[in-house]
Amino acid sequence: MDNSTFPFFFNLTMFVNIGQYRFIAFTFCLLLYGFILSANLLMIVVISQERTLHEPMYMFIALLSVNSLYGSTGFFPRFLTDLLSDTHLISRSACFAQIYIIYTYASYEMTFLGIMAYDRFVAICHPLHYNKKMTLRTVLKLSALAWLFPAFVLTVVISLSAKLPLCGNEIQKVFCANWNVVKLSCVTTAVNNIVGMFLTITTVFLPLLFVLYTYLRILLVCWKRSAVFKNRVLQSCLPHIISFVIYSITGFCDIALSRFNLEEINPFVAVMLSLEFVIIPPILNPLVYGLKLSEIRRHIIKLLSRGKR
C-alpha cells in the first residue's frame, strides 16, 4: 500500500475568505468561547457547592455543563487559530482527535438529555417511588452508561476510519468530520457505514424516541390533573424541553448538511449550519437552566453578590 493513501495532513476547505473582517470574527468567536466557559463553569460551581442542589436533576444539569466545556474546548481553540490563518491544514492525528472529541460531545449531549427525560418521567409519573428509584447509585450508573457507551462505539468507528486508504485530503468542513473522511476512501466502506449507522441509532434515534415516549407519558398523566399541577410540571420540564428541541434542530442541520452538495449552498450559510450544534447548545443551556429554574437562579445570584463584596 502506497503511503500517499494515508495523507499526513487534511485541508479544511469550507473556510470563507473574509479578508479584514477575520479579526472581527476572531474577536466575536473568542467572546463566545469565553462566555461558554464562564457560564458553564458557574453552573458547575453553584451545583457542586450548594447541598440543596445535590439532587439527580441538578447533577444531570452539571453533566451537561461539563459536556459543553468538553465539546467547546475540542472545537474553539483550533477554530480560532484557523480564523487568523491563510492555510487550514490539520495533521492526521489532530484531525482524528478532533473527530473523537466533537462526536463524543454530540453523543453525550443526546444521552444526557435522554437520562434527564427519565428523571422527569419518574418524578412526575411515579412521585412516590422517586427517591427509591433515583438513588445516587442509579444516577452514577446512568451517568457512567451515558459516558462510556458512546466513547466505546466512537473508538471503534474512528479506528475503522483511520485505517482507510484515502484518495484525497480535502474535507468540506471547518472542522474534521468522520463522514467527510470516509467519503475520501479509495476502497469500499460497508463496514464503516454499518458501524456508523449503529452509532447513530443507539446515540441519536433511541434517546430521541425515548424522550418523546417519556413526554407522551407525562402528557397523559397531566391530562386530567389540575391547572396548578400542569403549571408545576411545565416549570419543571420546560428547560429540558427547550434544550432538547434546540439540540435536535442544530444536530439535524449538521446531519442534513452532510447529505447536500455544498458547492450548491452559500458558503457562509453552510458554515453557520455546520457550527450550530457545537456553539448554540453550550451557550443556551446555562441560560435556560440558570434563568428558568428558580433554585439555580437564586444560588447564582447569591454567589455573584457574594463575589462583589
Side-chain angles (χ1 to χ4, degrees), residues 167-224:
C167 290
N169 72 335
E170 293 191 348
I171 296 177
Q172 288 185 302
K173 283 272 193 178
V174 293
F175 58 89
C176 286
N178 187 66
W179 175 242
N180 295 75
V181 172
V182 171
K183 286 194 296 185
L184 297 174
S185 174
C186 301
V187 297
T188 180
T189 59
V191 175
N192 300 71
N193 295 339
I194 292 171
V195 177
M197 184 61 68
F198 175 76
L199 172 70
T200 304
I201 291 172
T202 53
T203 62
V204 177
F205 290 112
L206 287 183
L208 174 65
L209 292 174
F210 181 73
V211 171
L212 295 176
Y213 167 76
T214 55
Y215 276 107
L216 176 61
R217 292 288 301 274
I218 290 172
L219 283 174
L220 292 175
V221 169
C222 294
W223 187 260
K224 296 182 180 180

Side-chain angles (χ1 to χ4, degrees), residues 28 37 78 95 98 107-108 145 182 202 217 241 259 265 276 278 296:
F28 177 72
L37 292 180
R78 169 72 203 195
C95 184
Q98 188 180 60
S107 300
Y108 293 154
L145 180 64
V182 171
T202 53
R217 292 288 301 274
I241 294 172
R259 306 301 172 185
I265 304 175
E276 284 182 344
V278 79
I296 293 181

